[in-house]
Amino acid sequence: MPSPVGHTLAGLCGFIPARQRVPKRHQLKLLLASVAIANLPDADFLPGLLLGNLGAFHRHGTHSLIVAAVFGIFVALLVGRWQLNRIWWGIWAAELYASHIVLDMLGADPGAPSGVQALWPLSQQNYISPITLFAQFDYSDSGLGMVRTILSPQNFWGMLRDFIIMTPLVGLVWLFSRAFRERRVR
Ligand SMILES: [Zn+2]
């Protein structure tokens, strides 16, 4: 699975087309929300952290496309309070959440069972792409401890790889978003 760098850049891809839909004074909040949503499925580390085993619940229920759809419905209900388009923001939030699951499926994951429970709760089967784009990002190695594992050279190269793959995508989304806006203006 990719590092938080890869998911954060996916969040930036979500922010770029959405930023025109909010006033300038709210754009920083939107940027932070976009990055948080793109990383949100990995909140499943938190209960594991309390138990001293980071991976105890990782890549299970929160890494499901069904949960992504439910999250989209939740956001659609939430944004009505601010007179925003419920359907547009609901689809946006579901897509951004689902981007995390797709990226994880494209990441190396040698430990069985590989991949994510993309159809939980309908199925507990793990799914992974036959094509691997991203390196494995390790959060915990019993020999090294959590902090030294996260700061390991292997993770550094993984983050660099995520950056090299995702940055052109951010640029493309920005170009498309600008071209689309100019067409709308004309
Ligand atoms: Zn994940």
Side-chain angles (χ1 to χ4, degrees), residues 1-2 7 38-39 41-45 58-59 62-63 100-101 104 116 139:
M1 58 182 180
H7 292 304
N39 282 283
D42 280 346
D44 60 4
F45 277 124
H58 188 43
R59 290 181 287 122
T62 59
H63 285 66
H100 182 109
I101 297 156
D104 273 6
V116 297
Y139 285 91

